[in-house]
Amino acid sequence: MLKLTDVASYYGNIQALKGVSLHIGQGEIVTLIGANGAGKTTTLMSISGVVQPKQGRIVFLGEDITRLSTERIVSLGITQVPEGRMIFPRLTVRENLLMGAYLRKDKAGIREDEEHAYTLFPVLRERRTQMGGTLSGGEQQMLAIGRALLARPKLLLLDEPSLGLAPLVVENIFEIIEQINKDGVTVLLVEQNAQMALQIAHRGYVLETGRVTLEGPASDLLNDPKVRSAYLGLD
């Protein structure tokens, strides 16, 4: 579904990705794990067109998207839930959700997807007239994911969905990610909580200073001694 080949991306003169290659098959949950500053967010930003790679290729469903605008990439079916959630604090929950559908014209389909978001996240239905900025961190994360789903993505990019959330809320969020995947959405998950990410993912990649240093089935990475000591805090 998605293939990155030798992708190098920069912020000014600083090279954040140094020849990243990875692939995601349709229907998979793939996770990227690594320390802060390893290039995980930059990988997502490069896929969604926010950062344009200086070398390499990104191909989505057979189409080269390396140089396309973010708007065009979203219209092809890639949606990103950014780190820090980035909801609109002065819009209501419902208005925030509908921002996800801004490229769509199919009113019946939008209504159907809005209803689906409320089914996945019942608390959003209760709070739909409330301002986004008054929600708890966990509710804001649910709103950010719900908003992304209103774009009807084929591939969902999730950047640190568990960041700053209580353990019970994190469990709930991860269950919902699995449900979204079962509903037919392919997921690329960037996550500091490597243990939880590898438990729900099919495959994983380890990024270190802008390079992929390890890849494989998630179960193999969970049991890899280097991964266990570096990212899972286990001996």
Side-chain angles (χ1 to χ4, degrees), residues 1 20 24 31 40 45 49 51 68 85-86 92 103 108 110 130 140 144 148 164 169 178 181 184 192 200 207 216 230:
M1 185 183 220
V20 167
I24 300 167
T31 188
K40 304 185 302 293
M45 296 289 206
V51 174
L68 296 185
R85 307 183 263 281
M86 301 288 187
T92 65
L103 286 178
I110 292 168
Q130 214 170 298
Q140 288 189 16
V169 179
E178 286 188 287
N181 179 246
Q192 280 284 317
I200 70 163
L207 272 182

PDB file of all heavy atoms in Angstrom, residues 1 20 24 31 40 45 49 51 68 85-86 92 103 108 110 130 140 144 148 164 169 178 181 184 192 200 207 216 230:
ATOM      1  N   MET A   1       0.824  -1.204   0.000  1.00  0.00           N
ATOM      2  CA  MET A   1       0.000   0.000   0.000  1.00  0.00           C
ATOM      3  C   MET A   1       0.865   1.265   0.000  1.00  0.00           C
ATOM      4  O   MET A   1       0.610   2.220  -0.727  1.00  0.00           O
ATOM      5  CB  MET A   1      -0.897   0.008   1.238  1.00  0.00           C
ATOM      6  CG  MET A   1      -1.872   1.164   1.264  1.00  0.00           C
ATOM      7  SD  MET A   1      -2.835   1.165   2.765  1.00  0.00           S
ATOM      8  CE  MET A   1      -4.427   1.622   2.140  1.00  0.00           C
ATOM      9  N   VAL A  20      15.636   6.390   4.701  1.00  0.00           N
ATOM     10  CA  VAL A  20      14.664   5.476   5.310  1.00  0.00           C
ATOM     11  C   VAL A  20      13.901   4.711   4.216  1.00  0.00           C
ATOM     12  O   VAL A  20      13.350   5.309   3.296  1.00  0.00           O
ATOM     13  CB  VAL A  20      13.673   6.262   6.207  1.00  0.00           C
ATOM     14  CG1 VAL A  20      12.471   5.385   6.587  1.00  0.00           C
ATOM     15  CG2 VAL A  20      14.375   6.757   7.467  1.00  0.00           C
ATOM     16  N   ILE A  24       4.341  -0.748   3.922  1.00  0.00           N
ATOM     17  CA  ILE A  24       3.143  -1.091   4.697  1.00  0.00           C
ATOM     18  C   ILE A  24       2.173  -1.780   3.750  1.00  0.00           C
ATOM     19  O   ILE A  24       1.831  -1.236   2.691  1.00  0.00           O
ATOM     20  CB  ILE A  24       2.480   0.178   5.276  1.00  0.00           C
ATOM     21  CG1 ILE A  24       3.462   0.909   6.193  1.00  0.00           C
ATOM     22  CG2 ILE A  24       1.205  -0.167   6.047  1.00  0.00           C
ATOM     23  CD1 ILE A  24       3.026   2.306   6.551  1.00  0.00           C
ATOM     24  N   THR A  31       4.179  -0.375  13.278  1.00  0.00           N
ATOM     25  CA  THR A  31       4.615   0.633  14.243  1.00  0.00           C
ATOM     26  C   THR A  31       6.065   1.025  14.009  1.00  0.00           C
ATOM     27  O   THR A  31       6.889   0.209  13.596  1.00  0.00           O
ATOM     28  CB  THR A  31       4.410   0.142  15.695  1.00  0.00           C
ATOM     29  OG1 THR A  31       4.677   1.224  16.584  1.00  0.00           O
ATOM     30  CG2 THR A  31       5.303  -1.025  16.053  1.00  0.00           C
ATOM     31  N   LYS A  40      11.005   9.644  13.865  1.00  0.00           N
ATOM     32  CA  LYS A  40       9.687   9.002  13.698  1.00  0.00           C
ATOM     33  C   LYS A  40       8.646   9.998  13.177  1.00  0.00           C
ATOM     34  O   LYS A  40       7.950   9.716  12.199  1.00  0.00           O
ATOM     35  CB  LYS A  40       9.209   8.404  15.040  1.00  0.00           C
ATOM     36  CG  LYS A  40      10.183   7.417  15.666  1.00  0.00           C
ATOM     37  CD  LYS A  40       9.658   6.747  16.929  1.00  0.00           C
ATOM     38  CE  LYS A  40       9.274   7.692  18.046  1.00  0.00           C
ATOM     39  NZ  LYS A  40      10.402   8.425  18.641  1.00  0.00           N
ATOM     40  N   MET A  45       5.603  13.072   8.733  1.00  0.00           N
ATOM     41  CA  MET A  45       5.491  14.378   8.059  1.00  0.00           C
ATOM     42  C   MET A  45       5.911  14.287   6.590  1.00  0.00           C
ATOM     43  O   MET A  45       5.364  14.978   5.739  1.00  0.00           O
ATOM     44  CB  MET A  45       6.379  15.421   8.764  1.00  0.00           C
ATOM     45  CG  MET A  45       5.961  15.725  10.184  1.00  0.00           C
ATOM     46  SD  MET A  45       4.443  16.666  10.267  1.00  0.00           S
ATOM     47  CE  MET A  45       4.657  17.494  11.818  1.00  0.00           C
ATOM     48  N   GLY A  49       3.404  14.977   3.386  1.00  0.00           N
ATOM     49  CA  GLY A  49       3.727  16.131   2.546  1.00  0.00           C
ATOM     50  C   GLY A  49       4.024  17.414   3.307  1.00  0.00           C
ATOM     51  O   GLY A  49       4.263  18.455   2.704  1.00  0.00           O
ATOM     52  N   VAL A  51       6.646  17.815   5.253  1.00  0.00           N
ATOM     53  CA  VAL A  51       8.079  17.948   4.966  1.00  0.00           C
ATOM     54  C   VAL A  51       8.314  17.249   3.631  1.00  0.00           C
ATOM     55  O   VAL A  51       7.910  16.100   3.463  1.00  0.00           O
ATOM     56  CB  VAL A  51       8.924  17.257   6.075  1.00  0.00           C
ATOM     57  CG1 VAL A  51      10.396  17.256   5.704  1.00  0.00           C
ATOM     58  CG2 VAL A  51       8.707  17.932   7.412  1.00  0.00           C
ATOM     59  N   LEU A  68       3.922  15.737  -3.837  1.00  0.00           N
ATOM     60  CA  LEU A  68       2.548  16.256  -3.846  1.00  0.00           C
ATOM     61  C   LEU A  68       2.275  17.136  -2.631  1.00  0.00           C
ATOM     62  O   LEU A  68       2.922  17.015  -1.595  1.00  0.00           O
ATOM     63  CB  LEU A  68       1.538  15.102  -3.874  1.00  0.00           C
ATOM     64  CG  LEU A  68       1.547  14.190  -5.111  1.00  0.00           C
ATOM     65  CD1 LEU A  68       0.409  13.175  -5.015  1.00  0.00           C
ATOM     66  CD2 LEU A  68       1.424  14.980  -6.401  1.00  0.00           C
ATOM     67  N   ARG A  85      -2.223  16.277  19.470  1.00  0.00           N
ATOM     68  CA  ARG A  85      -3.667  16.284  19.150  1.00  0.00           C
ATOM     69  C   ARG A  85      -4.117  17.422  18.238  1.00  0.00           C
ATOM     70  O   ARG A  85      -4.840  17.225  17.304  1.00  0.00           O
ATOM     71  CB  ARG A  85      -4.510  16.233  20.431  1.00  0.00           C
ATOM     72  CG  ARG A  85      -4.084  15.066  21.301  1.00  0.00           C
ATOM     73  CD  ARG A  85      -4.898  14.907  22.520  1.00  0.00           C
ATOM     74  NE  ARG A  85      -4.353  15.481  23.723  1.00  0.00           N
ATOM     75  CZ  ARG A  85      -3.406  14.923  24.470  1.00  0.00           C
ATOM     76  NH1 ARG A  85      -2.864  13.778  24.107  1.00  0.00           N
ATOM     77  NH2 ARG A  85      -3.000  15.475  25.587  1.00  0.00           N
ATOM     78  N   MET A  86      -3.692  18.663  18.532  1.00  0.00           N
ATOM     79  CA  MET A  86      -3.944  19.813  17.628  1.00  0.00           C
ATOM     80  C   MET A  86      -5.419  19.980  17.276  1.00  0.00           C
ATOM     81  O   MET A  86      -5.772  20.232  16.129  1.00  0.00           O
ATOM     82  CB  MET A  86      -3.140  19.673  16.324  1.00  0.00           C
ATOM     83  CG  MET A  86      -1.659  19.579  16.520  1.00  0.00           C
ATOM     84  SD  MET A  86      -0.939  21.135  17.019  1.00  0.00           S
ATOM     85  CE  MET A  86       0.784  20.747  16.950  1.00  0.00           C
ATOM     86  N   THR A  92     -16.643  23.654  18.702  1.00  0.00           N
ATOM     87  CA  THR A  92     -17.292  22.568  19.451  1.00  0.00           C
ATOM     88  C   THR A  92     -16.728  21.224  18.998  1.00  0.00           C
ATOM     89  O   THR A  92     -16.052  21.127  17.966  1.00  0.00           O
ATOM     90  CB  THR A  92     -18.819  22.546  19.219  1.00  0.00           C
ATOM     91  OG1 THR A  92     -19.050  22.226  17.838  1.00  0.00           O
ATOM     92  CG2 THR A  92     -19.472  23.874  19.572  1.00  0.00           C
ATOM     93  N   LEU A 103     -12.665  18.233   2.802  1.00  0.00           N
ATOM     94  CA  LEU A 103     -12.453  17.979   1.371  1.00  0.00           C
ATOM     95  C   LEU A 103     -13.610  17.198   0.746  1.00  0.00           C
ATOM     96  O   LEU A 103     -13.637  16.986  -0.459  1.00  0.00           O
ATOM     97  CB  LEU A 103     -11.160  17.187   1.147  1.00  0.00           C
ATOM     98  CG  LEU A 103      -9.830  17.931   1.321  1.00  0.00           C
ATOM     99  CD1 LEU A 103      -8.665  16.982   1.106  1.00  0.00           C
ATOM    100  CD2 LEU A 103      -9.733  19.105   0.347  1.00  0.00           C
ATOM    101  N   ALA A 108     -24.405  12.689   2.917  1.00  0.00           N
ATOM    102  CA  ALA A 108     -24.933  11.477   3.566  1.00  0.00           C
ATOM    103  C   ALA A 108     -23.785  10.655   4.150  1.00  0.00           C
ATOM    104  O   ALA A 108     -23.863  10.155   5.272  1.00  0.00           O
ATOM    105  CB  ALA A 108     -25.736  10.650   2.575  1.00  0.00           C
ATOM    106  N   ILE A 110     -20.850  11.776   5.066  1.00  0.00           N
ATOM    107  CA  ILE A 110     -20.267  12.512   6.208  1.00  0.00           C
ATOM    108  C   ILE A 110     -21.103  12.258   7.462  1.00  0.00           C
ATOM    109  O   ILE A 110     -20.563  11.998   8.542  1.00  0.00           O
ATOM    110  CB  ILE A 110     -20.178  14.031   5.897  1.00  0.00           C
ATOM    111  CG1 ILE A 110     -19.143  14.278   4.789  1.00  0.00           C
ATOM    112  CG2 ILE A 110     -19.816  14.829   7.155  1.00  0.00           C
ATOM    113  CD1 ILE A 110     -19.157  15.676   4.202  1.00  0.00           C
ATOM    114  N   GLN A 130     -19.891  20.885  23.319  1.00  0.00           N
ATOM    115  CA  GLN A 130     -18.895  21.471  24.215  1.00  0.00           C
ATOM    116  C   GLN A 130     -17.687  21.959  23.409  1.00  0.00           C
ATOM    117  O   GLN A 130     -17.369  21.388  22.366  1.00  0.00           O
ATOM    118  CB  GLN A 130     -18.426  20.359  25.183  1.00  0.00           C
ATOM    119  CG  GLN A 130     -18.080  20.831  26.566  1.00  0.00           C
ATOM    120  CD  GLN A 130     -17.873  19.646  27.499  1.00  0.00           C
ATOM    121  OE1 GLN A 130     -18.795  18.858  27.722  1.00  0.00           O
ATOM    122  NE2 GLN A 130     -16.673  19.492  28.009  1.00  0.00           N
ATOM    123  N   GLN A 140      -9.637  14.652  24.134  1.00  0.00           N
ATOM    124  CA  GLN A 140      -9.079  15.374  22.990  1.00  0.00           C
ATOM    125  C   GLN A 140      -8.403  14.409  22.005  1.00  0.00           C
ATOM    126  O   GLN A 140      -8.481  14.591  20.793  1.00  0.00           O
ATOM    127  CB  GLN A 140      -8.084  16.438  23.457  1.00  0.00           C
ATOM    128  CG  GLN A 140      -8.748  17.629  24.124  1.00  0.00           C
ATOM    129  CD  GLN A 140      -7.789  18.771  24.381  1.00  0.00           C
ATOM    130  OE1 GLN A 140      -6.692  18.835  23.834  1.00  0.00           O
ATOM    131  NE2 GLN A 140      -8.212  19.696  25.225  1.00  0.00           N
ATOM    132  N   ALA A 144      -9.340  13.929  18.155  1.00  0.00           N
ATOM    133  CA  ALA A 144      -8.364  14.027  17.064  1.00  0.00           C
ATOM    134  C   ALA A 144      -8.441  12.807  16.139  1.00  0.00           C
ATOM    135  O   ALA A 144      -8.368  12.931  14.913  1.00  0.00           O
ATOM    136  CB  ALA A 144      -6.954  14.175  17.632  1.00  0.00           C
ATOM    137  N   ALA A 148      -9.878  12.665  12.192  1.00  0.00           N
ATOM    138  CA  ALA A 148      -9.141  12.028  11.095  1.00  0.00           C
ATOM    139  C   ALA A 148     -10.014  11.026  10.346  1.00  0.00           C
ATOM    140  O   ALA A 148      -9.958  10.919   9.119  1.00  0.00           O
ATOM    141  CB  ALA A 148      -7.890  11.344  11.638  1.00  0.00           C
ATOM    142  N   GLY A 164       1.065  11.479  27.373  1.00  0.00           N
ATOM    143  CA  GLY A 164       0.479  12.257  28.462  1.00  0.00           C
ATOM    144  C   GLY A 164      -0.855  11.744  28.976  1.00  0.00           C
ATOM    145  O   GLY A 164      -1.535  12.446  29.717  1.00  0.00           O
ATOM    146  N   VAL A 169      -6.783   5.103  30.054  1.00  0.00           N
ATOM    147  CA  VAL A 169      -7.177   5.798  28.812  1.00  0.00           C
ATOM    148  C   VAL A 169      -6.347   5.264  27.647  1.00  0.00           C
ATOM    149  O   VAL A 169      -6.855   5.037  26.545  1.00  0.00           O
ATOM    150  CB  VAL A 169      -6.996   7.333  28.957  1.00  0.00           C
ATOM    151  CG1 VAL A 169      -7.378   8.051  27.673  1.00  0.00           C
ATOM    152  CG2 VAL A 169      -7.812   7.862  30.126  1.00  0.00           C
ATOM    153  N   GLU A 178      -7.139  -0.789  17.301  1.00  0.00           N
ATOM    154  CA  GLU A 178      -7.343  -2.146  16.762  1.00  0.00           C
ATOM    155  C   GLU A 178      -8.699  -2.251  16.056  1.00  0.00           C
ATOM    156  O   GLU A 178      -8.806  -2.880  15.002  1.00  0.00           O
ATOM    157  CB  GLU A 178      -7.266  -3.180  17.885  1.00  0.00           C
ATOM    158  CG  GLU A 178      -5.865  -3.438  18.385  1.00  0.00           C
ATOM    159  CD  GLU A 178      -5.826  -4.599  19.365  1.00  0.00           C
ATOM    160  OE1 GLU A 178      -6.280  -4.437  20.506  1.00  0.00           O
ATOM    161  OE2 GLU A 178      -5.330  -5.677  18.977  1.00  0.00           O
ATOM    162  N   ASN A 181      -8.619  -0.580  12.687  1.00  0.00           N
ATOM    163  CA  ASN A 181      -7.920  -1.450  11.759  1.00  0.00           C
ATOM    164  C   ASN A 181      -8.822  -2.590  11.282  1.00  0.00           C
ATOM    165  O   ASN A 181      -8.879  -2.902  10.085  1.00  0.00           O
ATOM    166  CB  ASN A 181      -6.647  -1.989  12.426  1.00  0.00           C
ATOM    167  CG  ASN A 181      -5.857  -2.928  11.534  1.00  0.00           C
ATOM    168  OD1 ASN A 181      -5.736  -4.110  11.813  1.00  0.00           O
ATOM    169  ND2 ASN A 181      -5.320  -2.411  10.453  1.00  0.00           N
ATOM    170  N   GLY A 184     -11.083  -1.855   8.516  1.00  0.00           N
ATOM    171  CA  GLY A 184     -10.532  -1.766   7.163  1.00  0.00           C
ATOM    172  C   GLY A 184      -9.549  -0.641   6.923  1.00  0.00           C
ATOM    173  O   GLY A 184      -9.139  -0.399   5.782  1.00  0.00           O
ATOM    174  N   GLN A 192       5.867   6.121  21.642  1.00  0.00           N
ATOM    175  CA  GLN A 192       6.910   5.967  22.668  1.00  0.00           C
ATOM    176  C   GLN A 192       6.669   4.698  23.495  1.00  0.00           C
ATOM    177  O   GLN A 192       7.608   4.069  23.955  1.00  0.00           O
ATOM    178  CB  GLN A 192       6.874   7.174  23.619  1.00  0.00           C
ATOM    179  CG  GLN A 192       7.554   8.419  23.078  1.00  0.00           C
ATOM    180  CD  GLN A 192       9.069   8.345  23.144  1.00  0.00           C
ATOM    181  OE1 GLN A 192       9.641   7.917  24.119  1.00  0.00           O
ATOM    182  NE2 GLN A 192       9.719   8.746  22.054  1.00  0.00           N
ATOM    183  N   ILE A 200      -0.049  -4.589  19.587  1.00  0.00           N
ATOM    184  CA  ILE A 200      -1.184  -4.526  18.641  1.00  0.00           C
ATOM    185  C   ILE A 200      -0.740  -4.512  17.174  1.00  0.00           C
ATOM    186  O   ILE A 200      -1.560  -4.706  16.285  1.00  0.00           O
ATOM    187  CB  ILE A 200      -2.121  -3.314  18.913  1.00  0.00           C
ATOM    188  CG1 ILE A 200      -1.455  -1.975  18.566  1.00  0.00           C
ATOM    189  CG2 ILE A 200      -2.650  -3.322  20.327  1.00  0.00           C
ATOM    190  CD1 ILE A 200      -2.433  -0.827  18.421  1.00  0.00           C
ATOM    191  N   LEU A 207      13.748   2.888  14.510  1.00  0.00           N
ATOM    192  CA  LEU A 207      14.489   4.010  13.932  1.00  0.00           C
ATOM    193  C   LEU A 207      15.511   4.493  14.940  1.00  0.00           C
ATOM    194  O   LEU A 207      15.188   4.675  16.121  1.00  0.00           O
ATOM    195  CB  LEU A 207      13.550   5.176  13.610  1.00  0.00           C
ATOM    196  CG  LEU A 207      12.849   5.225  12.256  1.00  0.00           C
ATOM    197  CD1 LEU A 207      12.026   6.499  12.165  1.00  0.00           C
ATOM    198  CD2 LEU A 207      13.806   5.167  11.088  1.00  0.00           C
ATOM    199  N   GLY A 216      10.842  -6.164  11.471  1.00  0.00           N
ATOM    200  CA  GLY A 216      10.391  -7.551  11.528  1.00  0.00           C
ATOM    201  C   GLY A 216       9.004  -7.659  12.109  1.00  0.00           C
ATOM    202  O   GLY A 216       8.388  -6.647  12.463  1.00  0.00           O
ATOM    203  N   ALA A 230      16.548  -1.557  25.207  1.00  0.00           N
ATOM    204  CA  ALA A 230      16.570  -0.130  24.819  1.00  0.00           C
ATOM    205  C   ALA A 230      15.221   0.543  24.920  1.00  0.00           C
ATOM    206  O   ALA A 230      15.124   1.708  25.296  1.00  0.00           O
ATOM    207  CB  ALA A 230      17.111  -0.009  23.386  1.00  0.00           C
TER     208      ALA A 230
END
